[in-house]
């Protein structure tokens, strides 16, 4: 009877904890406005649930979000542009110098965040129940977990990576899971030499991190958190979970621990602003031919834009170009191309007559094309654009990617690619199939993300989700000591066998010589 009473009291207390609102600190100084759309959607959902969020970014935020207090670190916006350019370059001999540059930018961003006046006031006067943050290149901020006595929930806006696998000790075989740099160049179907390069980059990257980056992080950590009793490594081992902008339909199935949660599509709203009636009427009139949607907020140089417009003018479909900039008066716009500013992006994508999405080929637009079941044409300029995750278009096999340059403009490659995507039903069928697979989930990405954040709050950081691999060092986790022991054991056996064989040969020779001597 007493046990039942205690159990009832315990369950009531848990229920009361579930109903409480939390104070959440969100730190994303490494994302630009496009990547932050993923985080912003989550913060809106948490605000609607009654949680109070303090959000730190490097650009102005939407102050109309419920229960949101924004803090802007303006100094970090230019650093973000440098960070993006350094991270998007190809692998070459200067790779590790650039890696050092990336981590240096990370230190500077962390310094700007922790040195901000409003941030110092938060650390001095306020308490938080949970910290949301990007886990990569921000080790210097891990000390906030002990300072506020709050668990950390990580968010990765570009999907999973080996860097995150290392933090959570997630088993990710290098035979088919590429490193971050390899992903920009190859897909998961790596041949022998690509796998060799993948392993080499992984090993050298870990050595570089342990020998160069981590010591600097430790010194900076001690400087900013002199009274901390927990090391960076200890806090890293106790990070609660991570929300990944990833899904097995987007890339390929990967092994994930229970505290690595896929929530790709989180930025796609369940309800959105409708289109103006005259736009709806115009799109409805396109009939079975449909229309092509160009979702590129910024424009190319005038001569490049004219070349693109000329090729769009060769199509029989209506082309709707949604942008934030008005078209230049110097352009000769074809009669089937219409420019509009700031239309409801998702309302256009959901229209049944939409046949093709044209974009810069970013990761978010690829996810949207999968969600809405549309083929995608990615246009990346060789003139000035960098940093786009362009390779994803070829992975989903329901789209074509082109680099806009002299050749593509001269040979009408944009027109040919758009015509192929619109008229060849195989692209639409693949896109619809992937859309069905992507949407077929027990809960929406928003419901999943909020559930796991509140799960972490209910279970005080959810330490039971962390597996025993965190108790092992790198040698033990990868069984390197076992393999070394087996190798040495085999060497000993081989050596003993070699000694025995040499001894037997000498003995046989000795006996043969002795027998010959007796015969003689």
């Amino acid at each position: 009877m007493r046990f039942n009473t205690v159990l009832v009291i315990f369950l009531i207390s848990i229920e009361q904890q579930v109903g409480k609102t939390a104070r959440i600190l969100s730190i994303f100084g490494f994302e630009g406005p496009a990547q932050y759309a993923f985080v912003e959607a989550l913060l809106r959902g948490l605000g609607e649930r009654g949680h109070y969020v303090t959000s730190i970014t490097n650009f102005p935020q939407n102050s109309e979000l419920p229960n949101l207090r924004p803090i802007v670190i303006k100094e970090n916006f230019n650093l973000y542009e440098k960070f993006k350019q350094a991270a998007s370059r190809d692998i070459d001999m200067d790779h590790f110098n650039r890696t050092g540059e990336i981590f240096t930018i990370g230190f500077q961003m962390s310094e700007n965040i922790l040195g901000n006046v409003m941030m110092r006031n938060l650390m001095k006067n306020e308490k938080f129940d949970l910290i949301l943050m990007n886990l990569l290149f921000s080790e210097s901020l891990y000390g906030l977990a002990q300072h506020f006595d709050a668990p950390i929930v990580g968010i990765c806006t570009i999907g999973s990576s080996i860097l995150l696998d290392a933090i959570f000790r997630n088993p990710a075989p290098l035979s088919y899971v590429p490193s971050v740099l390899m992903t920009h160049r190859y897909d998961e179907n790596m041949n022998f030499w690509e796998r060799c390069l993948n392993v080499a980059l992984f090993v050298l990257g870990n050595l570089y991190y342990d020998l160069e980056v981590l010591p600097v992080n430790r010194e900076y950590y001690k400087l900013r958190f002199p009274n901390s009793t927990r090391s960076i490594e200890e806090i890293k081992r106790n990070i609660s979970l991570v929300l990944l902008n990833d899904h097995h339909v987007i890339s390929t199935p990967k092994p994930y621990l229970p505290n690595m949660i896929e929530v790709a599509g989180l930025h796609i709203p369940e309800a959105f602003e409708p289109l103006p009636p005259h736009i709806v009427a115009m799109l409805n009139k396109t009939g079975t031919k449909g229309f092509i949607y160009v979702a590129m907020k910024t424009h190319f140089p005038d001569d490049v834009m004219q070349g693109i417009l000329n090729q769009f003018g060769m199509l029989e479909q209506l082309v709707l170009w949604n942008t934030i900039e008005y078209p230049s008066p110097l352009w000769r716009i074809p009669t089937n191309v219409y420019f509009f500013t700031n239309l409801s992006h998702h309302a256009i994508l959901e229209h049944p007559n939409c046949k093709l999405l044209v974009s810069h080929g970013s990761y978010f637009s690829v996810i949207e094309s999968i969600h809405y079941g549309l083929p995608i044409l990615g246009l990346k300029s060789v003139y000035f654009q960098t940093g786009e995750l362009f390779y994803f278009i070829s992975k989903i096999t329901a789209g074509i990617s082109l680099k806009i340059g002299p050749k593509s403009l001269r040979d009408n490659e944009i027109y040919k690619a758009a015509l192929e995507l619109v008229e060849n039903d195989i692209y639409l069928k693949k896109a619809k199939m992937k859309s069905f697979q992507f949407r077929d989930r027990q809960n929406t990405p928003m419901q999943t993300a909020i559930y796991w954040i509140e799960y972490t709050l209910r279970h005080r950081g959810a330490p039971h989700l962390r597996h025993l691999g965190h108790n092992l060092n790198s040698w033990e986790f990868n069984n390197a000591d076992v393999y070394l022991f087996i190798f040495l054991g085999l060497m000993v056996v081989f050596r003993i066998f070699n000694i025995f064989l040499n001894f037997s040969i000498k003995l046989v020779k000795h006996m043969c010589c002795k027998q010959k001597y007796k015969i003689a």
Side-chain angles (χ1 to χ4, degrees), residues 87-101:
S88 62
R89 297 173 192 163
D90 289 332
I91 305 170
D92 56 26
M93 297 300 293
D94 198 38
H95 163 61
F96 286 104
N97 288 334
R98 289 202 314 275
T99 302
E101 179 185 352

Side-chain angles (χ1 to χ4, degrees), residues 85-345:
Q85 292 176 8
S88 62
R89 297 173 192 163
D90 289 332
I91 305 170
D92 56 26
M93 297 300 293
D94 198 38
H95 163 61
F96 286 104
N97 288 334
R98 289 202 314 275
T99 302
E101 179 185 352
I102 291 172
F103 280 105
T104 300
I105 294 172
F107 294 142
Q108 293 172 346
M109 286 183 167
S110 299
E111 172 65 21
N112 290 339
I113 291 172
L114 294 176
N116 182 268
V117 175
M118 295 184 69
M119 184 64 189
R120 291 203 300 267
N121 289 336
L122 292 181
M123 296 177 66
K124 184 178 180 180
N125 301 317
E126 298 195 27
K127 293 289 185 182
F128 293 95
D129 303 304
L130 185 84
I131 300 173
L132 294 175
M133 63 185 299
N134 188 330
L135 301 177
L136 303 179
F137 311 111
S138 56
E139 292 88 345
S140 304
L141 301 176
Y142 287 177
L144 294 172
Q146 179 173 349
H147 180 85
F148 291 116
D149 190 23
I152 293 177
V153 170
I155 296 180
C156 189
T157 60
I158 59 171
S160 63
S161 70
I162 285 184
L163 297 175
L164 280 176
D165 291 329
I167 291 175
F168 287 88
R169 288 300 176 93
N170 184 55
L174 295 174
S175 55
Y176 67 90
V177 178
S179 67
V180 176
L181 292 167
M182 288 287 289
T183 309
H184 281 272
R185 182 172 286 187
Y186 309 106
D187 62 16
E188 284 80 0
N189 298 315
M190 296 179 285
N191 60 35
F192 173 77
W193 295 112
E194 291 167 356
R195 284 186 284 116
C196 289
L197 178 59
N198 195 41
V199 172
L201 286 173
F202 175 77
V203 173
L204 293 174
N206 280 353
L207 288 174
Y208 182 85
Y209 180 83
D210 291 338
L211 299 177
E212 295 290 336
V213 177
L214 195 56
V216 178
N217 267 305
R218 290 195 189 103
E219 293 300 321
Y220 185 79
Y221 178 84
K222 291 177 182 177
L223 177 65
R224 278 295 179 181
F225 302 97
N227 299 321
S228 178
T229 59
R230 299 166 64 189
S231 64
I232 288 181
E233 293 83 355
E234 184 179 354
I235 294 177
K236 185 187 294 187
R237 287 195 298 268
N238 287 279
I239 292 174
S240 297
L241 57 89
V242 63
L243 302 176
L244 301 169
N245 190 16
D246 198 8
H247 190 273
H248 52 268
V249 172
I250 298 173
S251 52
T252 187
K254 298 182 181 72
Y256 283 135
L257 293 167
N259 58 347
M260 302 181 75
I261 315 299
E262 292 183 330
V263 290
L266 181 65
H267 72 288
I268 300 175
E270 297 178 19
F272 35 78
E273 181 183 354
L275 293 170
H278 69 283
I279 299 294
V280 174
M282 182 181 70
L283 299 181
N284 289 340
K285 289 181 181 178
T286 58
T288 56
K289 290 182 180 180
F291 67 92
I292 295 173
Y293 175 40
V294 182
M296 291 193 286
K297 294 183 178 181
T298 57
H299 298 151
F300 297 100
D302 286 345
D303 57 335
V304 178
M305 280 296 301
Q306 190 60 60
I308 295 173
L309 290 172
N310 291 342
Q311 296 189 50
F312 281 153
M314 299 166 63
L315 297 165
E316 60 179 347
Q317 285 82 12
L318 180 147
V319 177
L320 174 64
W321 196 309
N322 190 17
T323 179
I324 60 175
E325 301 175 353
Y326 288 99
S328 170
L330 300 176
W331 302 343
R332 299 182 303 278
I333 301 176
T335 56
N336 67 324
V337 179
Y338 295 85
F339 281 86
F340 294 94
T341 57
N342 301 315
L343 292 178
S344 176
H345 174 66

